[in-house]
Amino acid sequence: GDSVTQMEGPVTLSEEAFLTINCTYTATGYPSLFWYVQYPGEGLQLLLKATKADDKGSNKGFEATYRKETTSFHLEKGSVQVSDSAVYFCALSRGGGNKLTFGTGTQLKVEL
Amino acid sequence: NAGVTQTPKFRVLKTGQSMTLLCAQDMNHEYMYWYRQDPGMGLRLIHYSVGEGTTAKGEVPDGYNVSRLKKQNFLLGLESAAPSQTSVYFCASNGQGAGYQPQHFGDGTRLSIL
């Protein structure tokens, strides 16, 4: 079946540091790929998406490129802020019903 | 601008008790979902619905039942609660349309089974 693997956390960075959170997937066909973010005490929010190979999703300074050859969708940001502290989930969608398969989540902590 | 509202936010149950979690959305969305979130396991889909009167099983449906009698509401029931069902439950919805329609999530229900 479909699966998503992402790096374990927590990831602790200083403000203005470069962020990479790795995500790889296993799925047949051509899934759509997503990053969701969960701030403390809240539900998940869509951060960015890519629906086909070589697409780059971007939002709020975050970027991720759909790499079919390496089945990856790594999340990057050039300069993180304290307000970016949250849990980040990589996910894929394939087939009917728009169902999502999530990775286990990576907690990011940004310190001053 | 309520979006997706989950009721209750917190609940403590004893083993064997039953309860219903309510999810309401005001966006006229066709699709609705129930997930559970457990440490180290991400979110796992319990049941989902692609329209009023329809339901389908997700990845971890055992021990849960759902109903979608009205388009705006999606109920998750636990008939006989077990400690393994201690979790944070999230409801989500999304509409239909051209291209991907993102799922909108509620703020979650934290459920403890003693």
Side-chain angles (χ1 to χ4, degrees):
Chain A
D2 298 344
S3 66
V4 176
T5 302
Q6 57 183 109
M7 60 190 291
E8 290 191 20
V11 174
T12 303
L13 296 174
S14 298
E15 201 170 42
E16 300 184 358
F18 184 85
L19 169 71
T20 299
I21 300 178
N22 291 337
C23 171
T24 57
Y25 68 90
T26 300
T28 56
Y30 300 92
S32 295
L33 301 175
F34 312 91
W35 278 100
Y36 277 80
V37 59
Q38 183 181 30
Y39 298 102
E42 299 182 7
L44 281 68
Q45 305 172 27
L46 179 65
L47 180 60
L48 54 84
K49 66 177 174 65
T51 57
K52 61 182 186 296
D54 300 324
D55 268 1
K56 176 185 284 188
S58 61
N59 186 25
K60 299 181 180 179
F62 290 90
E63 294 183 340
T65 301
Y66 188 151
R67 302 288 188 196
K68 189 161 181 63
E69 63 276 13
T70 54
T71 62
S72 65
F73 193 55
H74 304 321
L75 182 68
E76 296 181 336
K77 186 175 185 182
S79 177
V80 293
Q81 306 299 311
V82 173
S83 58
D84 294 326
S85 298
V87 181
Y88 292 82
F89 290 91
C90 186
L92 69 82
S93 178
R94 188 181 64 83
N98 204 34
K99 300 185 296 296
L100 289 169
T101 299
F102 286 92
T104 54
T106 301
Q107 184 175 13
L108 171 65
K109 298 179 180 178
V110 181
E111 301 173 335
L112 292 172
Chain B
N1 190 20
V4 178
T5 302
Q6 293 184 229
T7 309
K9 296 188 183 304
F10 305 95
R11 187 71 183 268
V12 178
L13 292 179
K14 294 181 180 179
T15 298
Q17 287 185 317
S18 64
M19 79 161 295
T20 300
L21 280 63
L22 172 63
C23 176
Q25 52 94 4
D26 61 1
M27 297 170 283
N28 201 35
H29 284 169
E30 290 293 331
Y31 295 166
M32 296 187 75
Y33 312 83
W34 275 107
Y35 296 90
R36 60 179 290 174
Q37 183 180 26
D38 301 294
M41 301 190 75
L43 276 77
R44 293 179 292 168
L45 183 65
I46 305 171
H47 286 281
Y48 66 101
S49 168
V50 299
E52 180 179 318
T54 74
T55 62
K57 294 180 180 180
E59 180 185 356
V60 288
D62 293 343
Y64 305 95
N65 56 76
V66 288
S67 64
R68 182 96 181 271
L69 298 180
K70 294 183 179 181
K71 186 177 184 179
Q72 64 267 34
N73 295 336
F74 195 30
L75 278 62
L76 177 71
L78 287 72
E79 290 187 349
S80 179
S84 61
Q85 295 177 304
T86 294
S87 187
V88 181
Y89 291 86
F90 286 98
C91 177
S93 71
N94 69 269
Q96 290 180 297
Y100 176 74
Q101 301 298 315
Q103 292 189 16
H104 297 258
F105 284 79
D107 288 341
T109 294
R110 187 174 296 276
L111 183 61
S112 294
I113 316 296
L114 304 179

